[in-house]
Amino acid sequence: MAHNRQITSKLGLDAENQIREICKALPEVVEQVDGFGHTSFRVKDKPFVMMGENEGVVSISIKTLPTTQEFLLQQPGYYKTPYIGQHGWTSFQAKQDLNWEEIRGYIFEGYLRAAPKSLAKLVSNAEC
């Protein structure tokens, strides 16, 4: 993500609220805004979702499995997150017609990648 500012657009704030609702259901998630204005959702200080806005364009980055990243990169609108894409981070722009059920799955996957095994196990067991 480039040096983005904090999210201020209605589209960005709506997306941030959707992501916040998804993340609130996961154990020990903390929301944090960094010095660049990026909003991140973290578990045990490890980010798994990051958002930022630059000139009205809102980007969302999620920590995905390499296979998920490979799949998403073949879809229109998805790209490797600058600087951290080699670690599985995949980005896309917020827009009106996002499939939030699909994004919920990617956020859940990101959480499982970032969370300690004890928390990941709790969440995995709850989903079964």
Side-chain angles (χ1 to χ4, degrees), residues 3-27:
H3 295 282
N4 299 336
R5 295 183 313 271
Q6 195 162 354
I7 296 169
T8 57
S9 68
K10 179 174 178 0
L11 176 65
L13 292 171
D14 289 348
E16 186 178 56
N17 285 332
Q18 286 275 17
I19 290 172
R20 184 178 294 118
E21 285 301 311
I22 294 167
C23 291
K24 274 185 4 183
L26 299 167

Side-chain angles (χ1 to χ4, degrees), residues 8-123:
T8 57
S9 68
K10 179 174 178 0
L11 176 65
L13 292 171
D14 289 348
E16 186 178 56
N17 285 332
Q18 286 275 17
I19 290 172
R20 184 178 294 118
E21 285 301 311
I22 294 167
C23 291
K24 274 185 4 183
L26 299 167
E28 298 188 35
V29 171
V30 174
E31 182 176 344
Q32 180 178 343
V33 177
D34 68 16
F36 295 111
H38 300 128
T39 300
S40 64
F41 295 89
R42 301 166 168 267
V43 57
K44 297 293 185 186
D45 205 36
K46 291 186 178 182
F48 61 97
V49 178
M50 293 187 293
M51 300 179 66
E53 184 172 336
N54 190 19
E55 298 178 11
V57 177
V58 178
S59 60
I60 302 168
S61 302
I62 302 174
K63 187 170 187 160
T64 57
L65 291 167
T67 53
T68 302
Q69 183 187 51
E70 185 177 314
F71 169 77
L72 290 174
L73 292 177
Q74 295 174 24
Q75 312 304 312
Y78 290 91
Y79 56 95
K80 278 188 179 183
T81 306
Y83 309 110
I84 56 175
Q86 74 273 18
H87 301 293
W89 284 88
T90 307
S91 294
F92 56 96
Q93 292 180 1
K95 51 188 179 187
Q96 291 295 334
D97 61 347
L98 289 176
N99 179 336
W100 285 104
E101 280 307 307
E102 188 176 300
I103 292 168
R104 177 186 307 275
Y106 302 140
I107 291 172
F108 181 75
E109 180 179 298
Y111 177 86
L112 292 176
R113 289 205 64 208
K117 289 181 182 179
S118 58
L119 289 178
K121 186 176 180 180
L122 288 175
V123 172

